[in-house]
Amino acid sequence: MMNPETYKQQFTTDDTPGWQAIDDQLEKIYGTTEARHYPPLCGIHYMAGGTDPIDGASIYDSNHQHFHRHIISYGMSELYYDEEKAGGEFSKWGFEFTFRLAPFKDDESDPIWAIEVMNNLARYVFSSGKWFEENHFIPANGPIRLNTDTQITGFVFALDPELGKIETPHGELSFLQLVGITDTEVEELKKNPTVGAVEELIKNLKKDNPLLITDLNRK
């Protein structure tokens, strides 16, 4: 485990050790492929008074399993130099959001709405002090993509099948993947919203969809 002294020897105040740890993990999957990175949608970082808790999100085009967009957040974990956070048990909230999305006819370019979803969930975490973990369940109370004819109306959280969990200089970080679920699945989980029930659903989804790619056309 890293201690403050080792941290100060390894990094300077200009470094972003947490950000680099995320990039290093992504490089294992995508090599030198360049992501399309989107800064805070409101234009101002949260620490500077912006309304978006996420400091940005990267979108990769992935051909693993079948073509989809893989979105990764930056900001739920400790990104920047902070020797007081060195070697913590968890890096800030201990996770970053990820989301895998099959192409959808109404998304002419990158699905920026998905980054908005991450920001909305992040605002809940920052304001309530409650965080998300694997096998959590969230009904969206409507289509996850607003004003869209889709039966995907909720999410479950799974550990991203490729990115998993890493140790950063600030502590543990899990890549928590948002997995869209249908209205029928939402209603079933509402009757039994236990970790075991969510785990079982994720296991069943993985049989035909090991990377847990969300398809807004799924019925």
Side-chain angles (χ1 to χ4, degrees), residues 107-203:
D107 288 331
E108 291 175 9
S109 55
D110 281 334
I112 302 302
W113 63 268
I115 301 175
E116 259 312 329
V117 168
M118 290 178 174
N119 269 306
N120 288 336
L121 294 172
R123 285 186 198 100
Y124 166 79
V125 172
F126 277 74
S127 62
S128 70
K130 297 174 182 173
W131 57 90
F132 297 114
E133 295 179 12
E134 288 175 69
N135 303 315
H136 277 185
F137 153 59
I138 310 166
N141 302 317
I144 62 167
R145 187 186 189 280
L146 295 177
N147 306 313
T148 299
D149 182 19
T150 175
Q151 289 184 27
I152 305 297
T153 59
F155 293 106
V156 289
F157 281 107
L159 198 62
D160 187 297
E162 291 185 315
L163 296 175
K165 193 178 287 192
I166 60 173
E167 278 299 326
T168 78
H170 304 125
E172 184 181 279
L173 186 165
S174 295
F175 290 94
L176 279 189
Q177 185 169 314
L178 285 156
V179 183
I181 58 174
T182 64
D183 201 42
T184 304
E185 291 159 347
V186 167
E187 292 308 313
E188 284 301 310
L189 285 179
K190 279 182 178 175
K191 293 176 199 166
N192 179 25
T194 61
V195 165
V198 175
E199 202 169 10
E200 189 64 26
L201 172 60
I202 290 169
K203 194 165 78 173

Side-chain angles (χ1 to χ4, degrees), residues 31 33-35 41-42 47 81 86 88 157 159 175 180 196 204 213 216:
T33 302
E34 284 286 322
L41 301 179
C42 70
M47 286 164 59
Y81 181 94
F157 281 107
L159 198 62
F175 290 94
N204 287 332
I213 299 164
L216 293 179

